Amino acid sequence: MNELLPVLDETRCTGCGDCVAVCPAGCLAMSGPTPWMPRPLDCVYCALCVRVCPTDALRMG
Ligand code: SF4
Ligand code: SF4
């Protein structure tokens, strides 16, 4: 397995929380103004968080 986890560009993130809301695995959470990944082992690499982000602040990294 060499799957890539989403990576955040904090300079682009507005803190809207859409990525947390859309994640089907519940592996993201807000930490103050930015999302983080408290449960990386639950990620299913679907990239929905990347696609939903309105400011392109996430990429599969
Ligand atoms: S890639 Fe999918 S499962 Fe992983 S953090 Fe993003 S929305 Fe959640
Ligand atoms: S969807 Fe994008 S802008 Fe919104 S909190 Fe997530 S990373 Fe930040």
Side-chain angles (χ1 to χ4, degrees), residues 9-58:
D9 178 350
E10 293 190 12
T11 68
R12 300 183 70 94
C13 179
T14 62
C16 69
D18 286 359
C19 54
V20 176
V22 80
C23 177
C27 50
L28 299 172
M30 295 306 286
S31 175
T34 55
W36 73 298
M37 187 176 276
R39 292 172 286 278
L41 295 178
D42 290 346
C43 181
V44 297
Y45 316 109
C46 64
L48 284 176
C49 53
V50 174
R51 286 163 55 189
V52 78
C53 178
T55 60
D56 292 329
L58 291 168

